[in-house]
Amino acid sequence: MPDPGNSRRKAPAIVILGAGFAGMEAAEALGRAGLPFTLIDQNNHLFQPLLYQVATTTLQTAEIAAPIRAILSRYPGADVLMDRVIDIDADRKVVTMTNDSIPYDYLIVATGARTSYFGNDALRQHSFALKTLDDAVRLRHQILTAFERAEISRDDATRRKLMTFVLVGGGPNGVGAAVATRELAARTLARDFHHVDATKTRVIIVEAGDTILPGIDAELVDRAMETLSAKEVEVRTNAKVVAITPEGVDLEDGHIEAGTVIWTAGVAVPDLAAWLGAEADKAGRIVVGEDLTVPERPNIWVVGDAARSLDEQGDPHPGLAALAKQQGRYAAAAITAACHGKAERTPFHYSDYGHMVPLGRFAAIAHVKGWKLSGLIAWLLWAFVHVLFLMDWRRRLMVTLTWIWSLATKRTGSRIIINRDGVELPQPDPAHQPTDAPKHGVA
Ligand SMILES: Cc1cc2nc3c(=O)[nH]c(=O)nc-3n(C[C@H](O)[C@H](O)[C@H](O)COP(=O)(O)OP(=O)(O)OC[C@H]3O[C@@H](n4cnc5c(N)ncnc54)[C@H](O)[C@@H]3O)c2cc1C
């Protein structure tokens, strides 16, 4: 292991791990306070709530991701390291990365969560996740390639399978991605493909529980179900997935033949509990106190998706971007106060602004400050908030213009297949005659 004393001579006292919503908010607050800090992340900053729009070809990658050092370039005290954290020694106060190690006086851990397969890694092998930018690009490749393969296939069963998409997990991410996939097929691809009828594409949400969107107001869930039905997205509740194979999804009581399975059923926090020697919940989230520090470690804050924090009623906070931002800001304020010699800490309080779930073109549900909204008004609110939360004005403008263009023309602009995994692209079928043959029916 590298010697932390020698590895970085000018070691900053404040270190932030992870530049997602929580880490970036902490960094901005420290930067504004004029405090120097080091921020470590292995990726770019990513706006995860719009990932599904990259996967379903509405947005491009650069519209929802940005280099961390570019965002923080206005703060001279911001030192950005693109590296992977592989350990934390809380006794020696040292963070170890793949290439180096760094000491800290104050540490903010904001490394988020990863896709979880509930200990059954076989579920990963034949499914697509939607958590990172790579996931979104890979999924976009898969969706577009599925239609290309269907277009050149002459076998009805093969086409039916290729044009069936299963989303495992009926949470907001799964539901949003399902509607977007169905709209991509029925509105945009239906015009582009001449041999298959993309309007017949099946998109099925499979949820193990007895309702989709758990935790959201029942009346709004009913309205979401009506919208899903109107947009021809199928929903199967009480359907537990036992296996995912190249043929599709095996349920406890049946099988769905599908060419693409998208896994949005859960997230977990690996490694952190072992690194910190701290208590964690079943998903690996670190149990923090009311000031978001690790018990017995008053100089380590764990914030955002990596933490299990409780509200005033003792219920766990939800895994939301707004919560992560508020926690990042809170940790930075506590460190700023400590740097100015103020030791007192008030408990963290979450200002809950509610939930929103996008349901495709001009549709969403929103539960905000007691108001239950759906349809166009909820969609306008959802769009406004998401544009506002993007990292800079250039991206806000680009995304707004892209949405206007795409809503007006019913077409998406990012239908580029990037074959980054060397996946075999569809080969022409020698028997296929590209004439004015009628569309293949896909029931
Ligand atoms: C598809 C999707 C849609 C979502 N939609 C919504 C929504 O509509 N509204 C909402 O409020 N929330 C939504 N969420 C949840 C929201 O994005 C998360 O709650 C939020 O991102 C948590 O912020 P965070 O800073 O804790 O973690 P993240 O944003 O996940 O950031 C963690 C950062 O840590 C870095 N990192 C992790 N491990 C390491 C390591 N070992 N070394 C170096 N760097 C590391 C990662 O690269 C990442 O940049 C969505 C999530 C997903 C996946």
Side-chain angles (χ1 to χ4, degrees):
M1 194 174 102
D3 176 1
N6 293 329
S7 56
R8 292 188 70 79
R9 286 181 188 283
K10 209 173 136 242
I14 306 169
V15 175
I16 305 170
L17 310 183
F21 285 101
M24 284 305 278
E25 195 71 16
E28 296 265 2
L30 291 169
R32 281 194 300 271
L35 291 171
F37 61 89
T38 299
L39 175 55
I40 306 166
D41 199 307
Q42 59 196 351
N43 294 308
N44 295 299
H45 175 62
L46 175 66
F47 193 87
Q48 289 178 26
L50 293 180
L51 260 183
Y52 79 94
Q53 295 215 354
V54 170
T56 53
T57 79
T58 296
L59 296 178
Q60 311 208 16
T61 52
E63 288 168 332
I64 64 158
I68 297 157
R69 61 181 69 258
I71 301 173
L72 297 178
S73 60
R74 61 183 176 275
Y75 303 116
D79 193 12
V80 177
L81 304 179
M82 192 172 219
D83 206 344
R84 180 179 172 75
V85 175
I86 54 172
D87 200 7
I88 300 169
D89 186 331
D91 292 329
R92 289 174 61 224
K93 297 190 187 169
V94 171
V95 172
T96 305
M97 298 159 273
T98 319
N99 296 295
D100 205 350
S101 56
I102 187 168
Y104 63 83
D105 293 316
Y106 300 108
L107 180 68
I108 300 178
V109 181
T111 42
R114 273 192 244 157
T115 304
S116 162
Y117 298 84
F118 308 119
N120 182 355
D121 244 28
L123 295 172
R124 181 204 306 264
Q125 212 183 342
H126 299 291
S127 66
F128 290 81
L130 190 53
K131 181 74 180 143
T132 67
L133 203 54
D134 274 351
D135 289 341
V137 172
R138 208 170 284 134
L139 179 55
R140 183 177 72 191
H141 174 273
Q142 168 67 17
I143 293 172
L144 293 175
T145 309
F147 283 95
E148 296 295 347
R149 286 182 204 275
E151 180 81 347
I152 59 178
S153 170
R154 301 190 70 78
D155 176 57
D156 273 350
T158 304
R159 280 196 301 277
R160 240 191 324 268
K161 180 181 155 194
L162 285 166
M163 291 168 62
T164 302
F165 298 80
V166 171
L167 282 106
V168 184
N173 309 343
V175 170
V179 187
T181 306
R182 171 69 201 158
E183 287 189 341
L184 168 68
R187 305 182 79 89
T188 299
L189 300 183
R191 282 201 262 169
D192 291 358
F193 286 85
H194 297 155
H195 296 280
V196 286
D197 184 355
T199 64
K200 300 277 173 57
T201 300
R202 287 182 76 197
V203 178
I204 307 157
I205 299 170
V206 169
E207 164 59 46
D210 55 11
T211 173
I212 58 163
L213 304 174
I216 290 184
D217 179 85
E219 188 190 327
L220 285 175
V221 174
D222 286 346
R223 290 191 218 169
M225 286 293 285
E226 281 166 26
T227 306
L228 290 172
S229 164
K231 297 198 174 202
E232 297 183 58
V233 174
E234 299 170 43
V235 178
R236 293 207 192 166
T237 50
N238 297 310
K240 191 160 177 229
V241 172
V242 290
I244 300 174
T245 68
E247 303 315 313
V249 174
D250 291 338
L251 304 170
E252 261 178 353
D253 58 354
H255 172 79
I256 305 174
E257 189 92 348
T260 304
V261 180
I262 305 165
W263 179 267
T264 64
V267 291
V269 180
D271 308 326
L272 216 46
W275 291 353
L276 292 169
E279 187 191 346
D281 68 4
K282 271 198 284 187
R285 293 176 303 173
I286 301 298
V287 176
V288 292
E290 56 181 20
D291 65 352
L292 308 183
T293 58
V294 178
E296 316 293 328
R297 305 279 183 197
N299 60 338
I300 303 180
W301 286 258
V302 183
V303 290
D305 280 3
R308 182 184 186 271
S309 56
L310 303 177
D311 64 17
E312 283 79 4
Q313 284 71 49
D315 296 321
H317 284 127
L320 291 175
L323 176 84
K325 281 167 89 80
Q326 291 178 31
Q327 292 194 331
R329 213 177 308 140
Y330 171 91
I335 292 173
T336 306
C339 289
H340 290 107
K342 292 180 200 150
E344 271 176 46
R345 289 179 192 171
T346 49
F348 170 76
H349 168 74
Y350 172 48
S351 300
D352 185 356
Y353 299 112
H355 300 273
M356 286 181 233
V357 182
L359 297 169
R361 201 170 180 266
F362 297 136
I365 53 166
H367 198 180
V368 180
K369 294 276 170 205
W371 292 76
K372 296 180 195 173
L373 307 171
S374 57
L376 178 63
I377 183 99
W379 182 85
L380 286 170
L381 185 65
W382 171 87
F384 176 74
V385 168
H386 281 71
V387 165
L388 197 69
F389 273 6
L390 278 167
M391 38 294 237
D392 56 34
W393 283 105
R394 188 177 75 85
R395 285 180 176 76
R396 284 176 201 136
L397 184 66
M398 280 163 58
V399 168
T400 306
L401 291 176
T402 304
W403 282 352
I404 290 171
W405 183 87
S406 155
L407 290 165
T409 62
K410 299 183 190 166
R411 294 179 82 83
T412 58
S414 183
R415 301 195 299 283
I416 304 299
I417 294 175
I418 298 176
N419 194 13
R420 53 198 299 156
D421 291 338
V423 178
E424 196 187 324
L425 289 169
Q427 298 299 313
D429 180 346
H432 176 57
Q433 304 294 320
T435 60
D436 53 353
K439 288 189 173 198
H440 305 304
V442 180

